[in-house]
Amino acid sequence: EKGTYPFYMLKEIDEQPAVLRTLINAYIQDGAYHIDADLLQAIQAADHLYIIACGTSYNAGWIGKKLLENWANIPTDVYLASEFAYDMPLLSARPFFIFLSQSGETADSRQALVEVNCMGAPSLTITNVKGSTLSREASYTLLLHAGPEIAVASTKAYTAQISVMALLAAALGNIPIQEIARDLGIVASTMESILAEKSRIQGWADSNLMETRNAFYIGRTSDYYVSMEAALKLKEISYIQTEAFAAGELKHGTIALIEEGTPVLALITDPVTGSHTRGNLEETKARGAQTMVISMEDTARDGDDFVIQSVRSELRPLVSVVVTQLIAYYTALGRGLDVDKPRNLAKSVTVE
Ligand code: M6R
């Protein structure tokens, strides 16, 4: 039930810190990673991981790739399920497949799993729904423990998927448990401090996103992957045509789209590439863009619109995305739209 909330989406955004704490307790028990040893062995036996998913789950896959490569040291690629099923890449000798699906019922993902099962390859489904089709048909399952997600726009499933992949990558990479438990705990409380600043985010959305027909998110490295999710969220519920761009690519074409007043939102949480993204943002500003910067304490500069407390570098997507979920929510709300049921969309897409 949504109780006093006007929309499920806002309730589900608010639930994220609690979901994260539930996941820490589910996957870390008695001072050890609580993940099926057979699953860990099957992944360790692989020479390449293939993450397959659609929509928001696909966007989460890119953050999962970074975590699995950085912590577990296994090469990982990410594919759209609808493409993978009919245009399979040349696979490695010992592939392992990871399916991400909130519902566990997405037809495109299921079709890819059918192909994988035909090859006899091992697979894992990371899903919110126990007993769902993808869970039943994959070799292994890890649950998101996020509780029912009702809003069509997925929010808590995205952060739960990233958190489960972080715990999985940490277990595979033997990252010290205390470290991970502590760092994910810091993420949960940082999410709470963002959630306490809703009115500031609503104010920015009200002043900048009510009239526009298009908008851009830009970022580099993981900030670019979060931009993909931020853009999907904003477009699906506000109907503003929003695109995500790797900030360095702007000058290779996209900057031609910038007009007086075009909103350009930059995610700058990566200390290494932050100043490059700022340079790219300045170029859009010089052409009339209405800019916004979401940064982190150690990447911030005076005048940034939203500065998030610093968290461990690999986990930054878990907090920066919350700001963008709220931007999407308040934009759709301000435009008087049905936030939970955007036009033309279904919660679970059961046709290919
Ligand atoms: O249930 P799934 O995670 O497999 O769903 C995948 C997409 O259909 C879903 O994430 C969709 O993109 C959402 N509407 C995004 O908010």
Side-chain angles (χ1 to χ4, degrees):
E1 251 319 293
K2 63 180 192 281
T4 54
Y5 283 96
F7 289 102
Y8 279 106
M9 183 182 178
L10 189 62
K11 173 172 181 274
E12 291 163 4
I13 290 172
D14 268 353
E15 284 169 352
Q16 292 176 112
V19 172
L20 178 46
R21 292 193 179 103
T22 303
L23 288 171
I24 299 170
N25 293 327
Y27 290 109
I28 297 179
Q29 284 178 16
D30 304 322
Y33 288 107
H34 188 68
I35 297 176
D36 183 1
D38 289 348
L39 165 62
L40 296 178
Q41 246 179 20
I43 297 179
Q44 259 142 1
D47 60 355
H48 203 112
L49 307 181
Y50 297 84
I51 297 178
I52 301 175
C54 308
T56 285
S57 297
Y58 170 79
N59 294 336
W62 284 96
I63 311 298
K65 168 190 158 77
K66 299 301 294 175
L67 289 161
L68 287 157
E69 291 192 336
N70 286 342
W71 290 352
N73 212 23
I74 312 175
T76 305
D77 281 314
V78 191
Y79 289 89
L80 288 168
S82 53
E83 289 295 308
F84 182 91
Y86 300 99
D87 189 13
M88 215 177 271
L90 185 60
L91 298 172
S92 70
R94 286 173 284 114
F96 185 96
F97 296 88
I98 299 177
F99 288 84
L100 298 178
S101 177
Q102 188 282 132
S103 62
E105 301 296 342
T106 302
D108 292 310
S109 302
R110 182 182 182 237
Q111 187 53 38
L113 179 54
V114 167
E115 301 291 334
V116 163
N117 283 341
C118 282
M119 294 185 267
S123 57
L124 160 69
T125 290
I126 300 179
T127 181
N128 204 21
V129 185
K130 202 176 171 181
S132 56
T133 306
L134 282 155
S135 167
R136 281 185 278 110
E137 297 183 359
S139 327
Y140 303 92
T141 296
L142 291 176
L143 291 174
L144 297 177
H145 297 296
E149 192 183 63
I150 311 284
V152 164
S154 181
T155 52
K156 61 179 177 174
Y158 176 86
T159 48
Q161 283 166 339
I162 292 171
S163 304
V164 170
M165 287 188 285
L167 286 155
L168 178 63
L172 289 161
N174 291 315
I175 307 280
I177 291 186
Q178 288 84 347
E179 229 184 75
I180 284 301
R182 181 200 60 206
D183 293 344
L184 285 172
I186 294 172
V187 166
S189 28
T190 304
M191 282 174 166
E192 276 160 354
S193 60
I194 295 169
L195 294 170
E197 301 241 35
K198 291 192 182 93
S199 56
R200 224 148 61 74
I201 298 173
Q202 179 170 23
W204 195 89
D206 283 345
S207 351
N208 296 287
L209 295 172
M210 287 308 119
E211 306 297 335
T212 189
R213 284 178 54 81
N214 60 356
F216 301 99
Y217 269 100
I218 63 169
R220 289 173 181 239
T221 65
S222 290
D223 287 325
Y224 169 51
Y225 301 142
V226 176
S227 294
M228 289 162 58
E229 172 56 11
L232 174 58
K233 212 84 312 165
L234 185 58
K235 78 177 95 172
E236 78 177 316
I237 61 170
S238 76
Y239 315 142
I240 296 170
Q241 183 175 3
T242 314
E243 303 303 333
F245 291 102
E249 278 295 292
L250 280 170
K251 59 185 174 299
H252 297 290
T254 316
I255 201 162
L257 293 168
I258 304 297
E259 293 173 344
E260 195 57 43
T262 305
V264 179
L265 296 88
L267 292 174
I268 302 180
T269 73
D270 174 15
V272 179
T273 58
S275 58
H276 284 97
T277 301
R278 284 186 194 275
N280 302 132
L281 191 67
E282 281 308 311
E283 286 157 17
T284 69
K285 211 172 179 173
R287 288 155 181 88
Q290 183 66 41
T291 61
M292 180 195 197
V293 175
I294 300 164
S295 61
M296 199 145 280
E297 276 168 351
D298 61 358
T299 63
R301 293 212 192 143
D302 285 351
D304 285 358
D305 299 87
F306 202 95
V307 180
I308 306 167
Q309 287 160 33
S310 286
V311 303
R312 185 179 179 137
S313 60
E314 299 92 335
L315 301 176
R316 293 182 173 198
L318 287 170
V319 291
S320 60
V321 77
V322 176
V323 180
T324 71
Q325 292 168 344
L326 289 167
I327 289 172
Y329 174 80
Y330 285 114
T331 304
L333 190 76
R335 288 182 169 227
L337 299 168
D338 185 345
V339 176
D340 284 342
K341 292 199 189 67
R343 68 187 181 204
N344 310 341
L345 288 169
K347 180 64 181 163
S348 188
V349 185
T350 52
V351 289
E352 275 189 64

Coordinates of all heavy atoms in Angstrom, one line a residue, residues 18 32 66 92 128 131 139 160 183 185 188 320 324:
A18 N 16.5 1.3 3.3 CA 16.1 0.1 4.0 C 16.4 -1.2 3.2 O 16.8 -2.2 3.7 CB 14.6 0.2 4.4
A32 N 30.6 -13.6 7.5 CA 31.0 -14.2 6.2 C 30.0 -13.9 5.1 O 28.8 -13.6 5.4 CB 31.1 -15.7 6.4
K66 N 31.5 -2.9 -14.0 CA 32.7 -2.3 -13.4 C 33.0 -3.0 -12.1 O 34.2 -3.2 -11.8 CB 32.3 -0.8 -13.1 CG 32.0 0.1 -14.2 CD 33.1 0.2 -15.3 CE 34.4 0.9 -14.8 NZ 35.4 0.8 -15.9
S92 N 33.2 -16.6 -25.4 CA 34.5 -17.1 -24.9 C 34.4 -18.6 -24.7 O 33.3 -19.2 -24.8 CB 34.8 -16.4 -23.5 OG 34.0 -16.9 -22.5
N128 N 13.8 -9.8 -8.4 CA 13.0 -9.4 -7.2 C 12.0 -10.5 -6.9 O 11.4 -10.4 -5.8 CB 12.4 -8.1 -7.4 CG 12.1 -7.3 -6.1 OD1 12.7 -7.6 -5.1 ND2 11.2 -6.4 -6.2
G131 N 10.7 -17.6 -7.7 CA 9.8 -18.4 -8.5 C 9.4 -17.9 -9.8 O 8.6 -18.5 -10.5
S139 N 20.4 -21.4 -13.8 CA 21.0 -22.4 -12.9 C 21.0 -21.9 -11.5 O 20.9 -22.7 -10.6 CB 22.5 -22.6 -13.3 OG 22.7 -22.5 -14.7
A160 N 19.0 -2.0 -5.9 CA 19.2 -3.4 -5.3 C 20.0 -4.2 -6.2 O 20.9 -5.0 -5.7 CB 17.8 -4.0 -5.0
D183 N 31.1 0.2 4.1 CA 30.9 1.1 2.9 C 29.5 1.1 2.4 O 29.0 2.1 2.0 CB 31.9 0.8 1.8 CG 33.4 1.0 2.3 OD1 33.5 1.8 3.3 OD2 34.3 0.5 1.6
G185 N 26.9 0.4 4.3 CA 26.2 1.2 5.3 C 26.3 2.7 5.2 O 25.3 3.4 5.3
A188 N 23.9 3.7 2.5 CA 22.5 3.8 3.0 C 22.3 5.1 3.7 O 21.3 5.8 3.4 CB 22.2 2.6 3.9
S320 N 24.3 8.8 -6.5 CA 24.0 9.8 -7.5 C 22.7 9.5 -8.2 O 22.0 10.4 -8.5 CB 25.2 10.0 -8.4 OG 25.4 8.8 -9.1
T324 N 18.8 11.7 -9.3 CA 18.2 11.8 -10.7 C 16.8 11.1 -10.6 O 16.0 11.5 -11.4 CB 19.1 11.1 -11.7 OG1 19.1 9.7 -11.5 CG2 20.5 11.6 -11.7

